[in-house]
Structures are given as C-alpha cells and as structure tokens.
Amino acid sequence: MAIRNELRNIELVQESTFGTDPGAGYVRVYNARDIDVQVDQKPLKRPIQISTLTLPDHVMGVKRASLSFKWEITGGRTANPVTGDTATASELHELFKSIWISQQGTSKAYASGGASAQSDVVVAAGGANDFKIGQRIWDTQNGQQRIVANWVNGTRTLTANAPWTTSITGGVIASAWTYEQQTVAATVKSLTCRASIDSIDYVLKGGRVSKIALAATQAGEIPMLDVEIEFADWTTDAFTATAANTLPAPAVMRGSPFWIGAAPVAATSYIDRLAFDFGTPIVHQRASEGSQGVVGVEYAEPGPKGSFSVYYASVVRDDWAAGTKRALWLPAGANAYSGFGLWVPQAQYDKHQHGDLDKLGVQMMGFEAKDNGTTSAPWVFSVAG
C-alpha cells in the first residue's frame, strides 16, 4: 500500500547527551508546513579490481539526515493572560531554548501611568524577570502592542518604544517568552526529532539548527519562520499515532507597526516584507570516536541580517549612505496571546535598491545586526504566551 505523502508530523525534544534519544518529552509542532525529511547514508566506493575489471562492493559509511519546514508563528495560549500568568511556551520552545538564551516573562496588572501620548506604564508587584528590554508587550484593555525600551524593576516601570495611542486605565500588560543570541558556545544543545511520513517513523538524532529565519511576510499574511536542522544519525521506529490536531491560531501581520530609530519614536509607516536571519551557525564537531563520526555541536560565528521594503523615505536612504545605525522595532500579531516581537538595537544598512510594489516605488533595504556592547544581544526575539 502506498503511503500518503502529505501526512507528515514532527516532534522535537532537546537532548541531554549528544546523539541520544531522550525517549520522552517530545513536543509536537502542529503548525509546521512544507515539511521535508531526508535520510542518507554515504556509500564509500572502492577502486576497480584490475584482475577482473569489476567493481568490488562498496562499504556503507556514516549516516546523516536533514529536516526543513516552515513554522506559522503561534503563541503558547488561546486566551488573554491574567495578572501573575507566566508566559506559556510555544510549540518551538524546545528548539529555541536549545540554541538561544531564554527568559520566561510574567504578565502583570496595570497599576498607574500609561496616559495617551506617554510611553511609561507602571505594573503590579512581581519579579525582575517579568519583562525584558526588547520584548513584545500587549495592553489587554485597548489592544495596543509595543516593544519594551526600558524596564526598571524597582519602580515597576515599563517604558514602551513608542507613546501609547489610547490611555491605559486598567487591564493587564501581557508578557512573553524572550530569546536572544547565545554567548556561551558550550550551552548550545542538540535535538532529537521524531518525524513521520504517514506510517513511516524516523528518529533523527544529534540535530544542529543550521538555519532559522523570519520569512519575508506581506501585510495581512501569516508570519513564518524558516527552519533547517541537520542530524548526525537516524533510525526507524515502530509507527506511533500522534494525538489529534488541536491547532493553535497563528499570528497575522495586521495591527503590527514597525518603527525605525531610538525610543520613544513615532511610527514609521508603509514598511512591509521584513525578513530576518537570526544567524545561527551551529556546526557538528567531527571526531572519529563518534559512532557516526560526530561527537557534539558547537556555536560558530554568527551573522544576523535582514531586509525590508519601505515606500520612499529620504531619511532611510541618507542613513544608508552615511552608515548610520538605527534601532528596528516590530511587535506583530493581532492579539495578546499569539504574536511575536523583534528588536534589533543596532541595525546598519548594507543595501539600498529601488523597486516596485503594486506600481508604487519602494526602497528595498538590507541590514546587518551589529554589536550592542554589554547592553544587550544584537537582537531580541519574543513569542507571546
């Protein structure tokens, strides 16, 4: 009987020991699409036998596998958080925490401030990790989203990257899980993936994330991450049916303002198709002692970069020509619990090109995320929860 190729599922878990399947703790990635699973084992060819002019049997070498998919960005819950709710992890949290520094935020009730045209708001008592600079926040009373430009735990004061449009007088300021570039190479972990194609189950082990990037998304569409993982080993397993689908709703690129410049700033209109490659250069450590010639994963040289399109604005062109660095701020999504945020504090343009968008002239800008010193990582990514 033929297999049904469209029936593809993946489940991920972080490994404690490189290349060893933990056997439990898998998280199913419901919102993965365009899943591609490939397994390989290299045949080691041998030279022709001169005496008989025939080819001797080749020897099978090491195994390798690869997985790629697009992930519709979704949060970790299905309703607005209440005060004291810690952020719920999204279905890609196992992957995120294996390669990035992660912090779990806590949503807090409004206490004071938050006036229209002001950027500060004070929240209820809690802990230092409730919020983080660069993180997406959401005002549940009015449906306003911003990026945190400053957070002072002592006074419980949040400064948003842009002034509030409507005064906040109640409700909750929703927090999120935040992630930033890893700084200690030894803390990067490998992954195991259970990947099924209809009734075929593969166990892919010793996985390294070779790519994770925010795909260029038009206004009104579902934002997605492009993910690629390479594995050092694979086996097959008895088929195990997964639970019935309970798809969490993805974010939508609407009501998602984009700002350029220091905080607090006014919104920069008519920006679209933001793409960002987080620059995740994780490599396999090759060694003959490994059962498949690999013994671990290591963080190499990162290179985060991105692009966006903007209707003509001379300041953007002039910043490019002058080599000026600007902060980029994007809180995205249509509700408190299914969205994301991206903050690039030191973006420097490395490309300027005139283009066309629906017969209107745009500037297509490329940028690199530069060093931000000891203040923060070159970027902060947050996922609602």
Side-chain angles (χ1 to χ4, degrees):
M1 179 179 176
I3 63 172
R4 292 162 294 178
N5 203 39
E6 74 278 6
L7 295 182
R8 298 187 175 215
N9 296 305
I10 55 174
E11 299 174 343
L12 295 169
V13 66
Q14 181 177 305
E15 295 177 346
S16 299
T17 302
F18 175 79
T20 300
D21 176 11
Y26 295 100
V27 177
R28 183 173 175 183
V29 186
Y30 288 106
N31 281 348
R33 60 162 72 171
D34 300 337
I35 299 171
D36 183 54
V37 180
Q38 300 293 336
V39 295
D40 188 30
Q41 188 166 5
K42 184 179 180 180
L44 304 176
K45 301 297 182 69
R46 301 157 66 199
I48 193 169
Q49 293 183 4
I50 302 299
S51 59
T52 60
L53 297 181
T54 58
L55 290 173
D57 294 348
H58 58 256
V59 176
M60 296 307 295
V62 297
K63 293 180 176 181
R64 294 291 185 265
S66 64
L67 167 68
S68 65
F69 61 92
K70 295 181 184 297
W71 181 61
E72 298 177 346
I73 300 177
T74 57
R77 64 175 70 238
T78 57
N80 282 347
V82 299
T83 186
D85 277 351
T86 53
T88 304
S90 72
E91 56 189 18
L92 267 199
H93 180 65
E94 283 292 304
L95 184 150
F96 295 152
K97 73 176 184 178
S98 74
I99 58 174
W100 295 336
I101 299 171
S102 61
Q103 179 175 306
Q104 185 180 30
T106 303
S107 298
K108 289 296 177 179
Y110 164 85
S112 63
S116 174
Q118 299 298 314
S119 301
D120 288 351
V121 63
V122 179
V123 296
N129 291 337
D130 292 343
F131 300 94
K132 184 179 179 67
I133 295 175
Q135 169 200 339
R136 177 200 191 238
I137 52 175
W138 182 280
D139 153 34
T140 64
Q141 183 187 47
N142 305 304
Q144 303 173 100
Q145 57 182 329
R146 296 289 188 270
I147 298 293
V148 177
N150 195 34
W151 164 236
V152 181
N153 179 48
T155 60
R156 306 299 293 167
T157 302
L158 282 166
T159 300
N161 71 296
W164 302 106
T165 304
T166 304
S167 294
I168 305 172
T169 59
V172 170
I173 304 300
S175 192
W177 270 97
T178 57
Y179 307 93
E180 60 185 8
Q181 182 175 293
Q182 187 58 263
T183 57
V184 182
T187 60
V188 175
K189 300 297 183 181
S190 52
L191 295 165
T192 288
C193 174
R194 292 188 69 93
S196 63
I197 306 174
D198 197 350
S199 59
I200 304 172
D201 261 20
Y202 288 112
V203 181
L204 315 177
K205 297 174 287 186
R208 71 175 185 95
V209 180
S210 55
K211 178 183 178 181
I212 182 165
L214 178 65
T217 307
Q218 294 186 10
E221 300 294 329
I222 296 173
M224 291 183 285
L225 293 181
D226 287 327
V227 180
E228 296 178 5
I229 310 174
E230 296 182 5
F231 296 86
D233 195 6
W234 60 270
T235 58
T236 57
D237 199 359
F239 174 69
T240 303
T242 52
N245 278 13
T246 53
L247 293 174
V252 178
M253 292 297 286
R254 57 187 175 90
S256 305
F258 188 108
W259 291 271
I260 300 175
V265 295
T268 301
S269 300
Y270 310 122
I271 292 181
D272 201 12
R273 300 183 181 180
L274 172 69
F276 188 70
D277 188 330
F278 292 93
T280 309
I282 299 173
V283 298
H284 276 134
Q285 297 171 313
R286 301 181 184 275
S288 58
E289 66 186 89
S291 62
Q292 297 297 328
V294 177
V295 293
V297 291
E298 190 74 67
Y299 213 88
E301 182 181 0
K305 59 185 178 181
S307 63
F308 60 85
S309 294
V310 57
Y311 292 122
Y312 178 76
S314 60
V315 65
V316 176
R317 180 204 58 206
D318 294 345
D319 282 347
W320 161 72
T324 303
K325 291 181 287 187
R326 298 290 187 191
L328 305 181
W329 319 74
L330 174 68
N335 56 51
Y337 48 85
S338 192
F340 72 95
L342 177 65
W343 176 51
V344 182
Q346 298 288 340
Q348 187 175 33
Y349 302 125
D350 63 352
K351 176 184 176 182
H352 173 277
Q353 184 176 349
H354 288 289
D356 177 275
L357 180 60
D358 298 328
K359 305 301 181 183
L360 298 176
V362 296
Q363 297 170 104
M364 296 180 292
M365 308 302 299
F367 65 89
E368 294 180 333
K370 301 297 188 177
D371 178 57
N372 197 33
T374 59
T375 305
S376 73
W379 52 262
V380 174
F381 179 64
S382 53
V383 179

